Structure formats: C-alpha cells, structure tokens
Amino acid sequence: MAQTTETPARTPESGPVRAPRVHRAWFVAAVAFVTIIGAAAFASLPGLLIEPLHAELHWSRGTIGFAVSVNLALYGLTAPFAAALMDRFGIRRVVAVALGVIALGALLTVWMTAAWQLVLYWGVLVGLGSGSMALAFAATVTNRWFTARRGLVTGLLTAAGASGQLIFLPLLSWLVEHHGWRPASVTVALAALAVVPFVWLLLRDHPADVGLAPYGGEYAAKPAPVTGAARRAVTVLLKAARTGPFWLLAGSFAICGASTNGLVRTHFVPAAHDHGMPITAAAGLLAVIGVFDVVGTVASGWFTDRFSARRLLAVYYALRGISLCFLPILLAPSVHPPMLFFIVFYGLDWVATVPPTMALCREHFGADSAIVFGWVLASHQVGAAAVAFAGGLARDVFGTYDVVWYASGALCAAAALMALVISRPRTEPGLVAGA
C-alpha cells in the first residue's frame, strides 16, 4: 500500500522536504486505527449489561434500553460538532479529551444505584465522548491525509471498530459472567485512557505539519483554524438539508444504525440468552461478526474505489434485510451451522455501508463532506437509539424480539430503494450543498 513517489513536499520555512519512502499518511492512519480499536471497548459493553443490571438492580429492559438509546443518540448528534471542533482545535486535542470523558463516564457507573445515573454516566458522558470519536474522526483523517485510496482507508478505519469488538467482547463477556459488570466497566475506562498517549504523541493534524503533501495529492499549506465550530456545523446542515441526496443518505443510514448498533449489537446477546444460549457463547458470536466485519468493510472500501457507491449500498441493505428476517428461526440454545452462516453473512455486511456512504458525501458536498457525514452519522445513531429503546420495550411487552427482527428486515428493503434513487451531483462537489 505504500506510495514510493509523490509530489515534493515543502514548508515555507525550510523549503522542499524529501518525501519518505512510506508516506507519513499511512502511519497517521495506523494511529487512528489503534485509537478506534481502544475506544471500541465502550461500544462492546451495552448488550452485555442488560441482563446483569436487570437481575441485580431490577431495572426493566426498557429502562436500560433507554440509557443505551441516549448514548447512541448523543454519539451521533455530537459527531458533526466534533468534526467542526477538529477544524478549530485540531484532531489530537479533541480526541484526547473525548477519551478522557469516556473513561470518566465508565468509571462513574461502578458506583451507580439509580437508573437516572445510568442515563447520565453511560448515556450522556460516554455518549458525548464516543460521539467525538465517531466516524467523523475517520472521515477527517481520511480527507486531510489522503487524496488517493480514500475508499480503502475509510474501510480500514471503519473496520477498526470491528477489530476492537473482536478484542474486547470475549474479555468483557468473561468478566461480566465471572466477576460481574463493574470490572467490565473499569476495563472500558482503562482501555480509553491507554490510547491517549498514542493520540497525543503520534497523531498529527495535517500533512503540512510535517511538510508533506497528502497521499496522492498536491502540497497545500495548513488552513487557519476555523472559528465558530458550532455555527459552522449548523450552517453546513442547513445547506445540505436543502438537497435531496442528504435526506436519502440520512434516511438510509438511520436504517443502517437501527439494524446494526440499535438491534444486533444491543439486543442479540439477550435475545440469544432468551433461547437458552449462554451469554459468553452469544458474545462470542458477536465477536465473530467483528472478524468478518473487518473483511467486509475493507473489501467494501476497495469496491467503493471501483464501483458505483449507490448500487453497492442497495445491495448491502437488501442482503442485510434478508438475513435479519431469517434470524428468529435460527436462535437456539446451542450454536449450529445455519447460525454460523448467518454470523458470517451478516458480519460481512455489518458496516460495509460506511465507505460508499462517505464517498457519496464527498461526491455531493466536497470540502464540507466530513461535517455532512457527521450529520448523516447522527441520523444513523438516532435510528440506532430508537431501536435500542424499542427493542427492549418490545421484549417487555411481547416477551420476544421476533417482531423487531422482521420490522428491521422490512426497513432494510426501504433503505435499498432509497440508495438507488440518490442522484448524481449536477455541479462541482461542495457547490451542491449550498445550491
């Protein structure tokens, strides 16, 4: 993947800088990958907490699902502001502070005794911190450091979350089953703190900081900090909201969140446990989803550099909807071959939607694409939040998750149709957003 020749880099002070044989952009992407892996611990835990909190503190699944929904909603709603803050204060500062907030929220849950504390600590604090570590971070790194291979890098950074899930889910499920949920919360806090030194010492905000051009691009001076981060985030939203592609991307990505983070990540473990499957076995299946998620997302990034992003999205959503409709008949006390087939099939599709969605944001919104993608991600998390709450409520009311699986399958079919009707931009990227 290394680029051996590139446009000579320069700085106003020292003149041209000889480009390294392996472009610095790949090292920045590697640091971002490790950072997202470390932060993935917080995303692995909510589905493991539902049964222990219900058993120990006697909170309803709907109440616990509401706290998770607050976390997921803030995760999304914070993302566009975080992207703007990165333009103002730099990537390193924003991400380091975000990791600290995640660690604080996870630690405070150890001492909670009331449901409102779960909403505040896990829902608000971890939600705000994780929102600043959202895919807008990956989009910002990709947009600044890469001109070529953006689809591939997007796939790699998106896959980092799945890699973190693979690493942390087995550990956290073992801790929950053998030592309770509190040590698992402490582990999440320590994982977030452990990443901070990598971010502060190794991450750089812009190629011009080290006198280089972006990978595959021309040298450009580092832009001045953009003030009014909140105002800019809202202004970009108002411009983008005047276009049809924004609403189609936001609507389809909301369904993506509903059918992944809101449904499977939050409710797969308790749903499998309802059918007699041990929590550790169900968590292991989620971890296996993470393995194939890495493969599927990296492959999706490669495909996005070569094929129509709209058609890729339609295929991904259609296949996901079909698989979810089969899941209720596959759940059983033990793991059997049809369930393993579902895990592999669904894992390949888990976040394969991200690279083509980012590509369509760049295609339609140009320089504002990271912030626009932040708002599209917000819709993803609102969809996830709605189903995280609705799934727990449906389980309390109907005694089963079946209706939620089928409804999500139908929504995925609608998302496939929405992807197909996204139009091509009629003007240069960036201008359409303000048309």
Side-chain angles (χ1 to χ4, degrees):
M1 294 190 302
Q3 179 172 317
T4 56
T5 59
E6 58 188 74
T7 304
R10 57 185 175 82
T11 61
E13 296 82 6
S14 59
V17 175
R18 177 180 292 275
R21 185 170 181 82
V22 178
H23 197 290
R24 180 68 175 269
W26 294 110
F27 292 101
V28 171
V31 173
F33 187 91
V34 172
T35 302
I36 295 171
I37 285 178
F42 63 80
S44 302
L45 193 56
L48 304 177
L49 291 180
I50 293 178
E51 291 301 322
L53 291 177
H54 175 70
E56 178 180 332
L57 300 174
H58 308 292
W59 298 339
S60 72
R61 293 176 181 83
T63 297
I64 300 168
F66 175 72
V68 176
S69 72
V70 171
N71 174 288
L72 294 172
L74 287 178
Y75 176 99
L77 293 171
T78 304
F81 297 97
L85 285 172
M86 289 176 190
D87 288 341
R88 174 67 178 87
F89 297 105
I91 299 173
R92 286 194 303 170
R93 293 179 182 178
V94 173
V95 173
V97 171
L99 289 167
V101 173
I102 290 170
L104 176 63
L107 278 178
L108 288 175
T109 59
V110 173
W111 295 282
M112 67 183 178
T113 56
W116 67 266
Q117 293 170 326
L118 178 64
V119 174
L120 175 61
Y121 301 154
W122 196 267
V124 176
L125 290 180
V126 176
L128 290 174
S130 61
S132 301
M133 283 293 305
L135 290 171
F137 167 50
T140 301
V141 169
T142 303
N143 288 350
R144 289 187 185 183
W145 281 90
F146 291 86
T147 299
R149 303 297 179 88
R150 282 177 168 175
L152 176 62
V153 175
T154 298
L156 288 169
L157 294 183
T158 303
S163 300
Q165 176 177 301
L166 170 64
I167 293 169
F168 286 107
L169 255 177
L171 171 63
L172 294 176
S173 63
W174 182 85
L175 285 172
V176 169
E177 183 159 316
H178 292 88
H179 300 284
W181 59 270
R182 289 178 178 85
S185 293
V186 173
T187 301
V188 169
L190 294 178
L193 289 175
V195 177
V196 174
F198 288 93
V199 172
W200 195 255
L201 297 175
L202 301 177
L203 196 63
R204 291 295 179 265
D205 291 327
H206 196 278
D209 288 341
V210 289
L212 292 174
Y215 179 88
E218 301 290 334
Y219 178 86
K222 182 177 180 179
V226 179
T227 59
R231 181 175 65 254
R232 184 184 176 210
V234 174
T235 300
V236 169
L237 170 64
L238 293 176
K239 290 181 179 179
R242 294 164 58 186
T243 69
F246 172 79
W247 291 108
L248 291 169
L249 287 168
S252 59
F253 219 43
I255 294 172
C256 178
S259 57
T260 53
N261 292 354
L263 182 60
V264 175
R265 176 170 282 169
T266 304
H267 294 292
F268 178 81
V269 171
H273 190 60
D274 282 348
H275 288 76
M277 184 179 295
I279 289 177
T280 50
L285 289 176
L286 272 185
V288 174
I289 285 178
V291 175
F292 290 96
D293 183 15
V294 173
V295 177
T297 306
V298 174
S300 178
W302 188 86
F303 289 145
T304 301
D305 286 333
R306 291 161 174 79
F307 302 107
S308 166
R310 296 160 188 78
R311 293 179 181 177
L312 287 175
L313 279 180
V315 171
Y316 295 158
Y317 285 126
L319 293 177
R320 183 185 301 173
I322 293 170
S323 66
L324 287 173
C325 287
F326 278 99
L327 182 57
I329 64 175
L330 300 178
L331 292 169
S334 60
V335 180
H336 47 84
M339 172 59 78
L340 290 176
F341 179 80
F342 167 82
I343 293 298
V344 172
F345 189 86
Y346 184 86
L348 290 171
D349 195 282
W350 177 278
V351 287
T353 56
V354 174
T357 300
M358 280 190 181
L360 288 170
C361 285
R362 285 193 293 267
E363 183 179 324
H364 284 272
F365 304 105
D368 291 332
S369 62
I371 297 176
V372 173
F373 180 75
W375 285 112
V376 172
L377 178 63
S379 71
H380 179 282
Q381 295 307 114
V382 169
V387 173
F389 173 66
L393 188 62
R395 173 60 178 81
D396 288 335
V397 173
F398 300 110
T400 178
Y401 284 102
D402 287 0
V403 64
V404 188
W405 304 122
Y406 294 129
S408 295
L411 286 174
C412 287
L417 293 175
M418 294 167 71
L420 286 175
V421 300
I422 296 174
S423 62
R424 295 185 179 276
R426 297 181 180 178
T427 59
E428 292 296 321
L431 297 179
V432 67

